[in-house]
Amino acid sequence: MEKKQNELKPIGDLLPKLLKEYKLDIPLKIMKLKTEWPQVVGEKIASFSYVQHYNQSILYIGVLNSVWMQHLFIQKKSLILKINDFLGGTFVYDLCFKRSGIKKNISSSTIQPVEEDKKMEYDSSIKDYVLSSQTIAKIKKDTETIISPLRKQWRNILVLQEKKKQVLLQEGKKTCPICGNWLENKEKICLLCQLKKRSEYKSAIRQCLQLMPWLSLDEFVEQGHIPKGCENYIELYREVRRDCIYHYMEKIYLNVDTLEDNMMLALFITQSKPYEITDEFIERLTKKYHMRNNKNKNKKKR
């Protein structure tokens, strides 16, 4: 007996086909790609990169820093093949690398446990510490305006914080002169302030190199462009130069570049002055990136 055409089928048999037909399976595939990223690209690459999101056949990948961005940019073609092989089809035509901090998973084995007896001793020191009458009076004065039900609780919190502060100071701990956070051993300023300073130094160096991209490191130093207080200027100079080169390369690759962008890329790469390079040289330099972009566009049209 022939089966009726309108015979009902189990939803489990129809679901995969419907998802594929209406492209509803792509988000599921991308989610799986995110969770299994180390298996797709390898543990080394996964340690400094992760999948951010997917949009219009472009996969956006967060990368720890510009050095690794350049490393992945070189491997882009092979990465696309690996990713599409994992996804089971040609879903990704291009990769866009974005500089982004990565929250590393810290295994329990890397965390140093606090010994119970030391912790109890430390807690006891804080509890037994006696604040001066002036400090207690100041805390009471600072909390006078707080409504009655919360005033006592807030005073207790401030007292405990002040006791902890005094105990840590007695143990030789120091606070960051900028923000007041507690410092680790031998630190002059805390990590957050270090990162902020680093960002400020890089911004100053970037402004200088954007105006004079031909400056070599020696010229940069001789002309007095080192930001005040910057000790690791050599590292930051090189990092900023790499960032700028990658920035203009990416604009060309994504076909959103201008003639000025092409000129800047040529100046950064060659460290030549504008009058020392020709239009023909700039065109040859950027042509290969435009060709790659056109190839990807043709693939999408197919």
Side-chain angles (χ1 to χ4, degrees):
M1 181 182 292
E2 294 183 359
K3 291 185 178 180
K4 295 180 181 179
Q5 292 184 354
N6 61 350
E7 182 180 352
L8 294 176
K9 295 182 179 180
I11 187 66
D13 295 342
L14 295 174
L15 190 57
K17 183 179 179 180
L18 291 172
L19 288 174
K20 187 173 182 179
E21 182 177 350
Y22 293 100
K23 296 184 178 180
L24 298 175
D25 60 336
I26 295 178
L28 298 176
K29 289 178 179 290
I30 298 302
M31 181 60 68
K32 187 178 180 183
L33 177 64
K34 287 182 178 181
T35 57
E36 299 187 26
W37 185 242
Q39 287 73 34
V40 178
V41 297
E43 292 290 343
K44 183 178 179 181
I45 291 178
S47 66
F48 57 79
S49 67
Y50 65 100
V51 176
Q52 288 185 329
H53 63 277
Y54 173 87
N55 185 33
Q56 296 183 351
S57 301
I58 299 176
L59 186 68
Y60 293 82
I61 298 174
V63 188
L64 183 61
N65 57 42
S66 57
V67 178
W68 290 118
M69 284 172 70
Q70 182 65 24
H71 179 71
L72 293 185
F73 190 83
I74 295 171
Q75 300 187 54
K76 180 182 281 192
K77 188 174 181 180
S78 63
L79 287 174
I80 291 175
L81 291 174
K82 288 181 180 179
I83 291 167
N84 281 328
D85 183 57
F86 174 80
L87 296 175
T90 309
F91 294 96
V92 176
Y93 287 100
D94 197 9
L95 300 177
C96 182
F97 303 113
K98 296 289 185 180
R99 184 170 180 176
S100 176
I102 299 176
K103 184 178 180 180
K104 297 182 179 179
N105 293 323
I106 303 175
S107 62
S108 58
S109 61
T110 62
I111 301 175
Q112 296 295 330
V114 179
E115 295 180 13
E116 191 64 27
D117 56 344
K118 288 186 178 180
K119 185 176 184 302
M120 290 177 64
E121 182 181 346
Y122 175 71
D123 291 342
S124 177
S125 299
I126 294 176
K127 184 179 179 181
D128 296 339
Y129 188 88
V130 179
L131 295 175
S132 66
S133 57
Q134 292 87 347
T135 302
I136 296 294
K138 184 178 184 304
I139 291 174
K140 287 182 177 180
K141 183 179 179 180
D142 292 342
T143 55
E144 282 179 353
T145 56
I146 300 175
I147 57 177
S148 181
L150 298 177
R151 188 185 304 140
K152 184 178 180 180
Q153 294 179 8
W154 189 243
R155 282 178 178 173
N156 290 338
I157 291 172
L158 293 179
V159 167
L160 185 62
Q161 286 181 342
E162 187 62 28
K163 284 185 175 184
K164 181 179 179 181
K165 176 182 176 182
Q166 295 303 324
V167 169
L168 289 173
L169 288 173
Q170 284 186 351
E171 292 178 353
K173 297 288 185 180
K174 295 181 180 180
T175 57
C176 176
I178 299 175
C179 67
N181 287 328
W182 292 103
L183 299 176
E184 296 295 333
N185 294 334
K186 298 182 180 180
E187 280 186 338
K188 294 181 180 179
I189 60 175
C190 71
L191 179 60
L192 290 176
C193 291
Q194 288 178 43
L195 294 174
K196 185 178 179 181
K197 280 283 185 185
R198 181 184 178 89
S199 178
E200 291 172 354
Y201 291 149
K202 287 184 65 176
S203 178
I205 295 172
R206 185 178 293 106
Q207 288 179 11
C208 175
L209 291 183
Q210 288 287 358
L211 292 174
M212 297 176 285
W214 53 83
L215 283 182
S216 66
L217 178 59
D218 290 339
E219 291 171 334
F220 178 80
V221 175
E222 289 171 2
Q223 295 180 23
H225 296 298
I226 301 174
K228 186 177 180 180
C230 181
E231 298 178 355
N232 58 334
Y233 61 88
I234 296 177
E235 174 194 346
L236 296 184
Y237 166 88
R238 290 171 177 168
E239 187 174 329
V240 169
R241 179 169 285 280
R242 284 195 299 267
D243 287 347
C244 291
I245 290 174
Y246 185 82
H247 169 72
Y248 290 114
M249 284 176 63
E250 187 175 41
K251 290 187 74 173
I252 292 171
Y253 186 79
L254 296 175
N255 205 24
V256 293
D257 58 303
T258 63
L259 293 176
E260 183 181 356
D261 294 330
N262 298 346
M263 165 71 82
M264 290 298 290
L265 177 63
L267 294 177
F268 269 109
I269 290 178
T270 63
Q271 290 186 267
S272 302
K273 294 183 179 178
Y275 59 82
E276 295 175 331
I277 55 177
T278 63
D279 292 341
E280 290 77 15
F281 175 82
I282 296 173
E283 185 178 354
R284 288 198 305 271
L285 182 66
T286 58
K287 186 177 179 180
K288 59 181 179 180
Y289 300 110
H290 284 296
M291 288 176 63
R292 288 180 185 176
N293 189 41
N294 291 333
K295 285 182 180 179
N296 287 330
K297 282 186 176 180
N298 292 332
K299 287 181 180 179
K300 291 179 183 179
K301 288 179 181 179
R302 293 175 188 173

